[in-house]
Amino acid sequence: MSRCFTSRGLVDYGGLLSYAPTYKDRFGTAAAYVDQILKDARPADLPVEQPTRFELVINLKTAKALGETIPQSLLGLANEGSYP
């Protein structure tokens, strides 16, 4: 059973943690590409962009249920870490 995910939405539904690009970055970049394509840009001419911002989300309720202890150093890095 996987406990780490690439989407914060799965953590919202009980996954232990995720480390992934922010939704705003992922969908904002996609929207910019769609806009350029609708303005007649050729998809092959568009640059490949790598995400630059990531978020770490930890579900503490799931950690407790699994008997896992999340190190304080990791909690300090988390963008969010509480789902009581």
Side-chain angles (χ1 to χ4, degrees):
M1 177 172 136
S2 180
R3 296 179 184 170
C4 301
F5 302 94
T6 58
S7 170
R8 74 163 293 134
L10 296 172
V11 174
D12 293 340
Y13 288 106
L16 179 59
L17 65 90
S18 74
Y19 182 70
T22 64
Y23 278 136
K24 183 178 178 181
D25 278 356
R26 287 194 282 181
F27 293 112
T29 300
Y33 282 137
V34 169
D35 180 59
Q36 291 177 49
I37 292 167
L38 291 174
K39 292 178 179 174
D40 293 327
R42 291 184 36 196
D45 294 336
L46 298 176
V48 174
E49 293 185 23
Q50 296 293 320
T52 58
R53 292 185 300 180
F54 292 80
E55 65 180 350
L56 172 63
V57 181
I58 303 170
N59 187 325
L60 298 177
K61 183 177 178 182
T62 299
K64 183 177 179 181
L66 293 170
E68 298 287 343
T69 302
I70 306 298
Q72 196 63 37
S73 58
L74 188 59
L75 287 174
L77 297 173
N79 299 83
E80 288 187 36
S82 181
Y83 291 92

